[in-house]
Amino acid sequence: MKESVHLLLDVDEKPSFWQGILLSFQHVFAMFGATILVPLLLGMPVSVALFASGVGTLIYQVATQFKVPVYLGSSFAYISAMALAIKEMNGDVSAAQTGVLFVGLIYVLIAGLVKVIGTKWIDTLLPPIVIGPMIIVIGLGLAHSAVTNAGFVTDGDWRNVVAAIATFLIAAFVNTTGKGFVRIVPFLIAIIGGYMVALALGLVDFAPVIEAPWLELPRFYLPFKSGVFEQYTIYFGPEMLAILPIAVVTVAEHIGDHTVLSQICGRPFLKNPGLNRTLIGDGVATAVSAFIGGPANTTYGENTGVIGMTRIASVSVIRNAAFIAIAFSVLGKFTALISTIPSAVLGGMSILLYGVIASNGLKVLIESRVDFGQVRNLIIASSMLVLGLGGAVLNIGTITLSGTALSAIVGIILNLVLPGEAQK
């Protein structure tokens, strides 16, 4: 497989000590936008999400034999279903956590099928014409979150807009004009620069940092009474079941991300170490995260975006980033400091990163040479984009399929039932 970019650090290369530390910090901070925003939106502890992110990444690396440069973070795909489950349970996280736990087990089941009967059935269910639009939907489906956090709303505070624009422009200019090492840490520089602008504009409140202890265990939620941490119970019901179909979406996202990452790194990750191993790593990490009260983990597109833009694909950097995230999760002052990062700064960064996700979907279609002169391809892509971005909802008994999940399922069905066309 031919490399699509010239990597500064390849998968199996190791940077110097201090360079590695800085690069690992950048990767952690680049993941912050999604990793901490998901628990903030769901009312879950940020410390647990960081801990689960780091542990999940290490689980993934072990499962994939340290061959794939992937950092796991909180998945946006499950936000709506988890939020609805928590709301229907009057604030109880039991249904949401049980649903995510079983999503992880579904991943492991699919990985087992891949190991036994191969991947041809996945290629049939999820060809590029389905995966491409799905990744676009996931990326652009987050667009509203990005622009809202950035302050681009009616009657919004101009200070938020300024902070968001500053963060975005710093990242963009460092990526395009930076020299040497500066160019490979654009997101770390942008977060710090955006934070400084926000601080100057009076958008930062340090009260949570002052009140927080220096060291503090993450506030885990466990499916049993511990006497120390919060508790949830294993719950089987419609609220939990509504979460399971989204696994279809994230499996498609998983394959799409690894396909794009393979192109970036010039390595066939779906063959070596293999899709079964990447799915097991993702699934077990998600199940472990749910078990301790964290959000679903995912090998999300921000990771691909960071590697594609920085050209740093070193697994060593990813592994060290995981340890840094775990260390951060027990630093009370630090997790409190994270909570002071204004949403506008995260929004400015997200505008760039979420756009990269959507662009990766386009890249899948282009690299696969999908022929939109064929009406069936046009119908599949068009219906998926409208349903996914339109926020469609379909109630089937006790199961509710939201826009993202519905988009994936409709794309799969249409691809199977629409007749093929002769090549022009």
Side-chain angles (χ1 to χ4, degrees):
M1 182 177 293
K2 186 179 179 180
E3 290 186 2
S4 59
V5 299
H6 174 68
L7 296 175
L8 298 178
L9 278 177
D10 209 341
V11 175
D12 49 9
E13 290 183 320
K14 294 182 179 181
S16 63
F17 178 79
W18 288 113
Q19 186 185 45
I21 293 296
L22 288 174
L23 288 172
S24 297
F25 267 95
Q26 175 188 254
H27 218 93
V28 172
F29 276 102
M31 300 299 112
F32 270 178
T35 301
I36 71 173
L37 190 55
V38 171
L40 288 175
L41 291 174
L42 294 173
M44 304 172 76
V46 171
S47 58
V48 175
L50 278 173
F51 184 88
S53 173
V55 170
T57 298
L58 294 177
I59 290 172
Y60 175 90
Q61 291 301 330
V62 170
T64 58
Q65 303 173 317
F66 296 93
K67 293 182 178 180
V68 188
V70 161
Y71 185 95
L72 271 63
S74 307
S75 174
F76 270 89
Y78 295 88
I79 287 180
S80 298
M82 289 183 71
L84 180 61
I86 293 172
K87 180 180 179 182
E88 292 294 323
M89 296 287 289
N90 297 315
D92 188 347
V93 301
S94 297
Q97 294 307 120
T98 303
V100 174
L101 181 61
F102 274 83
V103 162
L105 298 180
I106 289 173
Y107 265 68
V108 175
L109 175 61
I110 294 175
L113 290 174
V114 168
K115 180 67 175 179
V116 174
I117 63 178
T119 61
K120 188 172 182 179
W121 63 280
I122 294 181
D123 295 335
T124 301
L125 288 177
L126 299 169
I129 185 56
V130 175
I131 292 178
M134 194 64 259
I135 297 175
I136 294 173
V137 166
I138 291 172
L140 295 185
L142 303 173
H144 178 72
S145 170
V147 298
T148 299
N149 285 322
F152 292 102
V153 294
T154 303
D155 298 325
D157 189 334
W158 66 269
R159 297 178 302 170
N160 289 328
V161 174
V162 171
I165 292 175
T167 304
F168 175 88
L169 289 178
I170 290 171
F173 277 102
V174 170
N175 265 294
T176 55
T177 65
K179 303 295 183 182
F181 185 67
V182 170
R183 187 173 182 179
I184 60 178
V185 287
F187 299 109
L188 184 57
I189 293 173
I191 287 288
I192 294 173
Y195 191 88
M196 292 296 102
V197 172
L199 182 62
L201 294 173
L203 295 175
V204 180
D205 178 12
F206 287 111
V209 181
I210 297 173
E211 298 171 359
W214 285 99
L215 293 175
E216 185 179 38
L217 286 175
R219 188 158 55 91
F220 296 122
Y221 281 74
L222 301 172
F224 53 82
K225 292 183 178 179
S226 65
V228 177
F229 303 114
E230 302 286 343
Q231 181 193 9
Y232 68 90
T233 57
I234 299 297
Y235 175 84
F236 297 94
E239 298 86 0
M240 182 275 285
L241 294 174
I243 296 174
L244 302 185
I246 303 175
V248 174
V249 177
T250 49
V251 166
E253 180 186 15
H254 178 103
I255 295 173
D257 287 341
H258 284 76
T259 299
V260 174
L261 192 60
S262 295
Q263 293 292 332
I264 291 174
C265 298
R267 301 196 180 201
F269 293 129
L270 295 181
K271 295 181 179 179
N272 182 21
L275 180 59
N276 61 307
R277 285 187 172 275
T278 65
L279 284 171
I280 286 177
D282 203 341
V284 173
T286 289
V288 169
S289 178
F291 186 83
I292 62 177
N297 274 341
T298 181
T299 56
Y300 53 17
E302 284 90 335
N303 177 85
T304 304
V306 171
I307 292 175
M309 297 180 73
T310 64
R311 296 181 291 158
I312 302 297
S314 171
V315 170
S316 174
V317 170
I318 304 293
R319 182 196 61 218
N320 292 337
F323 285 119
I324 290 173
I326 294 171
F328 283 169
S329 72
V330 300
L331 299 177
K333 293 287 188 185
F334 182 79
T335 55
L337 183 63
I338 291 174
S339 70
T340 68
I341 298 176
S343 60
V345 174
L346 297 176
M349 185 65 69
S350 297
I351 290 174
L352 180 61
L353 290 179
Y354 297 162
V356 171
I357 298 175
S359 297
N360 283 336
L362 290 174
K363 185 176 180 180
V364 169
L365 295 172
I366 294 170
E367 295 284 348
S368 302
R369 299 181 181 275
V370 174
D371 183 7
F372 279 97
Q374 294 206 8
V375 177
R376 76 181 304 274
N377 289 338
L378 197 60
I379 291 173
I380 293 171
S382 300
S383 60
M384 290 181 68
L385 292 174
V386 171
L387 291 173
L389 299 178
V393 176
L394 177 64
N395 295 313
I396 304 176
T398 59
I399 298 177
T400 299
L401 299 176
S402 61
T404 309
L406 184 60
S407 172
I409 292 173
V410 167
I412 290 171
I413 293 174
L414 287 177
N415 178 65
L416 293 175
V417 302
L418 290 180
E421 300 178 45
Q423 294 291 329
K424 296 182 178 180

